[in-house]
Amino acid sequence: MSFALLFSGQGTQHPAMLPWLADDALVRDMCTRLGIDDWRQSLADPGWAERNDNAQTLLTGLALAAWGQLAPLVASPAAVAGYSVGELAAFSAAGVVEPATAAALAPLRAEAMDRCAARVPGGLLALSGLPESRLEQLRVEAGLALAIRNAKDSVILGGPSAALDQAERAARDAGAQCTRLRVHVASHTPWMREAAEQFAQTLADVPFHAPRVVLFSNARDRIRDAAAARTALAAQIATTVRWDECMENVMARQVRCVLELGPGQALARMWNQRHPTVPARACDDFRSAAAIAAWLNSHADR
C-alpha cells in the first residue's frame, strides 16, 4: 500500500466531523484542555467553534486521536503533510514529536497568534477565478500578504480586517469567487512574525526527532532532520503556506491514493482537481476506521 496522509487545517470544523472517532484518552485530554465535556456539542456553537484557541486545540487533538485509532489498521504512509495548523498532527504522525507533545503545543501556538491578532485584528480571504496576475494586483493594492497558495489561480490572502474588506469588494467587482474564512487571525503573514518568534522559543526546549516517514512542510519542503522540523514548524506561522508545492512533492512519491484526515473534504477536493488519476478521499466520508482501512487497502495492488 502506498498512500499519502494529509492533515486538514481549521475553518471547516463541524459537529458531525469524524463520525467514527472513538472517545479515547487523547480525545478526553483534549476536552480537559478546552474545559468541555462534549466536543461535538461545543462545535454546535459557531462562536465557540470559530475561536482560534478552541479550533487549534480541538483540531490537533482530534487529528492525533483519529490517526492513533487508524494507524494500527494500515501500513505506514509513503508521505505526510499538514495544511496550516494540520502540521502539528502531521509532524507527530511522522514521528517528529510525540502525540501528547503536539497536543500540548496547539494551545501555545494559538495563544501566541491571538496576542498578535489582538494588536492588529485580521483574518483570511480566499480568492479564485481570476488570472494569477490579477490576484496579485488585488493583493498589492489592498496591502495584504499571500497567506496560502493552493494553485496559481486559487489563493488565500491575509492581513488587517479593513484591508480584507477592500480586497473583497474589489475582487467581487472583478468577478472573482470570494470566501471570508472562519478565522480571526492573519495566519501565515508578516503580521504573525512575533507569534512565530515566540513559538520558536517554545519549541527550543521540546524534544524533536528526525521523521520516520517522508514529511513535507508548508515552509521548508521536505523535512529530513529534527533541526529542520523545529525551524519549519515555527516559521510557517508567519510565512506563506505553499500547498500547491506540497501536493506536487507528495505526487512525486508516486502514491496510489491520498487520505485527508480532519474535518471536511477541502484537501481531498483540491487534490482530485489537481491529480485526478490518483484518488483522494477524506476521513469525513467514512462511517468507521475499518471502512477507511478497506478503501486504502483496495489500492494496495493497483
Side-chain angles (χ1 to χ4, degrees), residues 15 26 91 95 103 143-144 188 204 211 232 234 236 265 273 275:
L26 282 169
F91 278 43
L144 295 171
H188 316 300
Q236 64 104 267
Q265 297 87 18
Q273 290 171 349
H275 298 297

Side-chain angles (χ1 to χ4, degrees), residues 2-271:
S2 175
F3 73 97
L5 189 62
L6 307 180
F7 286 85
S8 312
Q10 69 191 90
T12 58
Q13 55 269 25
H14 58 94
M17 63 183 281
L18 302 173
W20 50 272
L21 187 67
D23 184 15
D24 65 7
L26 282 169
V27 173
R28 291 191 294 272
D29 177 69
M30 175 203 71
C31 288
T32 298
R33 291 181 190 280
L34 291 168
I36 59 175
D37 295 321
D38 186 331
W39 63 270
R40 295 189 188 278
Q41 185 177 40
S42 295
L43 276 178
D45 175 1
W48 187 94
E50 292 177 16
R51 277 185 47 176
N52 187 51
D53 54 348
N54 291 340
Q56 293 200 33
T57 301
L58 180 133
L59 292 177
T60 301
L62 293 181
L64 293 167
W67 177 239
Q69 294 173 30
L70 180 61
L73 307 178
V74 299
S76 178
V80 178
Y83 188 93
S84 189
V85 71
E87 279 206 335
L88 277 175
F91 278 43
S92 177
V96 171
V97 293
E98 296 299 320
T101 300
L105 287 172
L108 298 177
R109 181 183 189 273
E111 181 183 358
M113 295 174 73
D114 284 340
R115 272 198 288 269
C116 286
R119 290 192 292 274
V120 183
L124 299 173
L125 173 67
L127 298 177
S128 61
L130 292 178
E132 181 182 13
S133 59
R134 183 66 177 112
L135 292 173
E136 176 63 9
Q137 181 183 6
L138 286 170
R139 182 195 69 78
V140 172
E141 290 175 348
L144 295 171
L146 177 59
I148 301 174
R149 190 180 64 216
N150 293 320
K152 289 183 177 180
D153 61 349
S154 177
V155 302
I156 297 177
L157 305 182
S161 299
L164 289 170
D165 293 339
Q166 176 187 334
E168 186 170 5
R169 289 192 297 268
R172 290 192 187 282
D173 289 344
Q177 297 174 347
C178 307
T179 303
R180 199 72 163 258
L181 302 191
R182 294 163 50 195
V183 297
H184 304 290
V185 295
S187 309
H188 316 300
T189 73
W191 287 276
M192 289 289 117
R193 186 170 292 119
E194 290 184 20
E197 293 170 353
Q198 181 180 342
F199 197 55
Q201 293 176 4
T202 298
L203 297 180
D205 297 325
V206 174
F208 270 61
H209 310 283
R212 292 195 295 265
V213 300
V214 175
L215 174 66
F216 293 111
S217 159
N218 297 167
R220 291 283 300 270
D221 295 318
R222 183 171 177 180
I223 300 299
R224 298 180 181 276
D225 55 47
R230 186 179 280 106
T231 299
L233 201 56
Q236 64 104 267
I237 291 176
T239 56
T240 302
V241 170
R242 297 173 288 135
W243 190 247
D244 53 350
E245 293 182 19
C246 278
M247 288 190 286
E248 290 305 312
N249 286 334
V250 169
M251 185 64 179
R253 303 303 299 177
Q254 299 183 327
V255 296
R256 291 175 176 168
C257 61
V258 171
L259 180 68
E260 176 182 359
L261 207 161
Q265 297 87 18
L267 300 186
R269 187 164 51 248
M270 278 192 279
W271 178 275

